[in-house]
Amino acid sequence: MEPTACDKQYYEWLEQLQVVDFALVELNLFLDTHPNDLRSIEQFNQLVQERKKLAKKFQEVYGPLQNFGRAFSKYPWEWSQSPWPWQV
């Protein structure tokens, strides 16, 4: 059986990505005004790595999170399949 957007895991992984994305945005804003805060830079870089891993895992199972070359597609073309992450 193919995984679908109705799976509990889909929402759990998507929420994990949203949590990390929120933290990255907040750290980005903080670092705009505190560019020499090494601890925050290290935390930002660690979260970037975590996000890459989470996104890769999510996309391998459920398809691309973004289009325009930021994610691979299985056959057939997956981007046109809904729901898209922002629709759930």
Side-chain angles (χ1 to χ4, degrees), residues 23-75:
L24 284 168
V25 169
E26 291 298 312
L27 279 167
N28 190 106
L29 293 171
F30 178 80
L31 285 164
D32 284 348
T33 58
H34 300 80
N36 297 317
D37 188 321
L38 179 59
R39 221 171 122 211
S40 294
I41 293 169
E42 290 170 343
Q43 185 178 16
F44 180 87
N45 290 336
Q46 183 267 327
L47 287 172
V48 168
Q49 291 301 315
E50 183 178 339
R51 193 202 186 281
K52 283 182 180 183
K53 289 176 189 173
L54 287 169
K56 182 178 186 299
K57 179 174 70 169
F58 181 94
Q59 291 174 133
E60 285 173 351
V61 176
Y62 298 107
L65 288 162
Q66 298 177 321
N67 59 351
F68 303 116
R70 297 199 174 144
F72 291 101
S73 178
K74 296 180 211 146
Y75 180 85

Side-chain angles (χ1 to χ4, degrees), residues 62 64 76-85 87:
Y62 298 107
W77 180 247
E78 293 178 301
W79 185 250
S80 60
Q81 305 304 311
S82 63
W84 290 293
Q87 292 179 310

